[in-house]
Amino acid sequence: MANWFLASCLLVTFVIAHGSIVPRGYRLDLHPYPGDGVFKGKVRIDIINTGNKSVDSITLDVHSTLNVVDREVKVTRVANLDSSEEDDVSMEETSLTVTKLEKRKDTHKFQITTKQSLKKDITYQVEILFDGTLGSDTSSPFYQSTYSNSKHSQQKKWYVAMNLMKGGGAHFVFPCFEKPNLKTWIELSVAHKGDFHVLTTMPLIDTTNVTSEGVWVRDHFSRSPPMSVNSLAMFQSDFKHPPMNDNNGAKVGVWGKEDILRSLNTAQKMLPAVLVNLELYLSRPYPLPELNLVALPGYTDDKPIDAWGLQMFREVDLSKKRDDFWVAHLLAKYTSLQWTDHLTTPLFPTSLTLALSKFLADKVAWQLEKPVFNSYVSDMYGMYLEYDKPGFREIKSQMEALNATKIQFVLEMLEHIFGPYSFRQTIQYFMSSKEYHAYSETDFWNKLSDGAYHAGVLKRNETPVSIEQIVRPWLQADRLPVVTFRRNYVNTTVQVMQEPFVLNDDEDDVSLPAKNTANYLWWIPNIVVSQSNLTVQVKNITWLKPIASQEVEMKQYNFSNSEFVLFNPGSLGPFIVNYDLKNWELIAQYPKRFPVKIRQQLLHDSLTLALSGRLCYVYAFNVSKLIEQEPEPAVWKTYFGLATRLRAKFQGTPVAPKYDLYLKKMLKSVNAALEQPERTESSWKSNFRAENKRLLCETGHATCLTEAREVQSRTNTSNPDEDKLFLENYLCILLGYGTLDEWEFGLHRIMYYPKNKSQTERLFIFRSLASCPKNETKFVRMLNLTLMSGDHKFSEEDMLTMLTVMSTVSLGHETMFKFMMKNFEYLSTKLEKTVWEYFIKTSFSNFRTEEGLNRAIEFYQKNKRHFISVDDIIKTALEKVKIQVDWVKKHLTPLDGWLTNALQEPWRPHEFQFRDVPSFVIG
């Protein structure tokens, strides 16, 4: 810690500030008035002119909503005892004359002009009084709120919190120099009522009375190391913490309302171990004397308020009972930001910071607790679907999360290329070079390049020449690649082709514009194993150049034509792999069991390739037969998502009921293996059971409805957790297989849904009402209520949502078409134009059999004169149906035969038992 002040002095030589004026320290006094909604304060900023010329103005960042008391603005030359100047003035403080104050509301700048010039390398102090308004919600940089300390108490208590990091909020609270690279020390004091206390970046060193009776006191906190002003936070409350264990490192505390203290014990006990493991990985001690986490009532963002030494989480994240790995991962993910966002700070907002925190969280959490499911694997497989969702670029927070996850994939890939030890050393090298400074993304990749040359990962005068060159295509493309590995069985070469993965296949809507992804190409790590040796190499891994197709010599791997080969085994890099059909056959015929990660990869890649039109379904199902005897929950976890997508893909075709029967046989074995739930079982096992049960119930398992009714009977809708569990896992079963009265139960919740409750929940229930039923009566009831009723309970948006989800269900679409034929005159004249046109589109466009197509054409031809206004819509819909019917004949007819044979085979239920810790973790 002695290096803090040396670093502070050195910082001024590395920054380009507002002109040549840079800060050397802040003394900040704050006085919030919770309940009154205002705050006052005073800041004294030590500044220095680092330029070669004298200047006569100082420009600070001050938001237009912050009121500066102009008459109290002072600028003073600070006595310099070390000065070599002969001028006696250097030995004493001297006040400068302020001649002009200018507040620029459009740029949120505040300029102070002085009569005397500010000389080079002389320290001055700017003193400013200010006041502002406390916000009323967590989006405000400085806000007040209330809470009840107990479910049974109506008494409200105030707290005050500072949330600066969202877009840079310090200038909303006090005049400052807000650029991240302008790091310097901060001394904070906060006035508050005596029955409250304050948490901030640094520990408390003294408390003084503001009023003679001690009703108001002022807490004084120790001087911080060099930091950005947006790394500061403050929290004022009467919160408490569970008992703290003695440890030799920083003091750590998890704070919350008094009535939830017991539930904070897990986080309190886990936090010291998380910090120690981060210190070991980064080879840097935690840089502050203490770290405090707060379970913040009323905070709903899943991303905590992140500051140096103080982080504020949703209450549920720190207090809800979860398995220890989840807690360790959450704590490591965000406490790692103490190093990567505050000890060193990004110059500009970047997804790299969050990616680093997720990467470090995986390393630390795996050291402390062994997980059941590898979130890296599931996140990677989920990314392919996220990129195909319409409008994913439009939601900024979603794009940031996707980018962070993608960069994490890249870091994991690089770690394998470097080797874990060398990669860890390189991260440590980056941290040591940038502590107490700011960094850019280029700085980070350059440090990794230095480490790559040192570790022999990169070689001089060979391409690629830098890590940034490798990662740039991965970071720029909003896609992930699919690599096709086509073997030449005459010689030892392989044709390797790459293209962006797009989920669309030749069945998709002809009206959809093609996605322009042709220019996306990547550097691909050349990692290959063969049937005779599944051991993945860890040295001398080469890179395949970012070109669409290249021939690669494979002689060094020494595999025969009768053996399969695997490229990118276990998804070491974030890309899907396709093979020639012979290699897929060899994989499917392998008599032994692959390692778990390779089983996950083969399931995911083969079935995803089939779903995207790149691989015949029969070949994919031959490979996926490994799931029939699968004992590991991690592999089933991968399969569940794929099975859900396959069921949706097969809707309305002869394959759908056969696949449900095939799926039911396997899921019943899983259900039996899970046995009855135990009170002491881990949360992963109960969640896994629920996911398996949900999919099993969708295939029509007999006992599901009974269980759903039992859960509903003991569910208290006023308990959000209980209600959420019922809605997510049992509502669709009850609405689908239950009586009409039970379906009406869901409808009643929608009809009288409170306006002040989550509209996301309402949408979920509404979509379930329109998509879960298994009989025509409920679908007709839904159509009558939304389209034919005159009580205006449902909006136009509701109608469009209902038509969308109902049309994706085979029986729902059939019912829609019949309903449209029966009520054609009313619907065509009474519905809004947008709803009517969409009803026509969805009614005509979702047939997938020859019989359905013929019915649609026949009805269209008979009523053509009535369809003049929607004629183009119907013609386009029928063109889509023809494509879909042809696609079903071409792609699903062979699979229909495969499933018929599979269902005729004698079924030997596989008996196994899922453990709380599966073998792939133990071994």
Side-chain angles (χ1 to χ4, degrees), residues 15-22 48-55 57 118:
V15 296
I16 301 175
H18 301 48
S20 58
I21 302 295
V22 298
I48 188 169
N49 178 8
T50 60
N52 293 322
K53 297 180 179 179
S54 299
V55 296
S57 66
L118 282 68

Side-chain angles (χ1 to χ4, degrees), residues 486-506:
R486 185 174 294 165
R487 297 171 63 182
N488 185 329
Y489 291 91
V490 176
N491 57 35
T492 57
T493 63
V494 170
Q495 184 184 14
V496 181
M497 296 166 284
Q498 59 167 289
E499 61 178 323
F501 179 82
V502 178
L503 193 57
N504 291 355
D505 63 13
D506 54 3

